[in-house]
Amino acid sequence: AKGFIITFTCNTCPYAVAYEQRIIELDKKFAAKGYPVIAIMPNNTSIKPGDSFEAMQRRAKDKGYTFPYLIDEKQEVYPQFGATKTPHMFVLEKTKKGNVVRYIGAIDDNYQDASAVKEKYVENAVNALLNNKEVKQTKTRAIGCSIKA
């Protein structure tokens, strides 16, 4: 891997569900180029039982996820990233000094309609990295549901 596309996502947030197919497409487009998706479910499952590990396994199978869908069971990982929403995207580049965050925020500029997207933030960031260019937009506001702690 040259880096990773990390998404904090879940089964129950309407924003996460709306973006699900786009996350699958990001993995299909970039995993073979060295930027696979890693999905992490950060919610407290006692507050959101629809995000249980069993529900996650069913969702991944039903949707044909081609990437790992992990659970942040102790809710220790998402605070280290500063994730606050589902979905919340992070593009990391592997460097000699370790992984460096190159982009944080939303997947694109239109959660409601994939066909009306004008700016593909995550895709633009990964393409820049693949072409040894600087990521122009390093941060946007994540759109989604708050993480349930």
Side-chain angles (χ1 to χ4, degrees), residues 31 34 43 64 73 78 93 95 100 123 125 139 143:
N43 287 335
E73 195 169 26
Y78 85 83
E93 179 184 26
T95 70
V100 178
E123 206 168 304
K139 194 168 190 176
I143 305 290

Side-chain angles (χ1 to χ4, degrees), residues 5 7-28 31 36-42 50-71 86-87 107:
I5 300 168
T7 179
F8 289 89
T9 190
C10 68
N11 298 342
T12 56
C13 170
Y15 296 90
V17 171
Y19 270 123
E20 187 172 40
Q21 188 58 42
R22 285 177 258 185
I23 292 168
I24 292 167
E25 289 167 12
L26 283 169
D27 189 63
K28 286 181 180 172
V37 166
I38 299 172
I40 302 170
M41 198 295 295
D51 288 328
S52 71
F53 187 65
E54 294 75 20
M56 289 171 57
Q57 289 175 311
R58 279 192 305 276
R59 185 91 183 174
K61 186 178 179 199
D62 291 348
K63 292 294 184 174
Y65 285 6
T66 54
F67 48 84
Y69 188 23
L70 311 173
I71 187 167
T86 56
I107 295 171

Side-chain angles (χ1 to χ4, degrees), residues 45-125:
T45 58
S46 62
I47 296 171
K48 284 298 209 180
D51 288 328
S52 71
F53 187 65
E54 294 75 20
M56 289 171 57
Q57 289 175 311
R58 279 192 305 276
R59 185 91 183 174
K61 186 178 179 199
D62 291 348
K63 292 294 184 174
Y65 285 6
T66 54
F67 48 84
Y69 188 23
L70 311 173
I71 187 167
D72 185 4
E73 195 169 26
K74 294 180 182 174
Q75 296 190 299
E76 296 172 338
V77 177
Y78 85 83
Q80 293 177 37
F81 278 82
T84 58
K85 304 280 186 194
T86 56
H88 205 152
M89 305 300 293
F90 296 79
V91 175
L92 279 61
E93 179 184 26
K94 282 176 86 171
T95 70
K96 290 176 183 169
K97 295 180 181 177
N99 292 322
V100 178
V101 178
R102 298 295 187 198
Y103 172 77
I104 300 173
I107 295 171
D108 57 40
D109 66 354
N110 193 328
Y111 79 89
Q112 294 172 311
D113 184 358
S115 66
V117 170
K118 291 184 179 88
E119 286 286 329
K120 295 181 176 183
Y121 306 127
V122 170
E123 206 168 304
N124 292 345

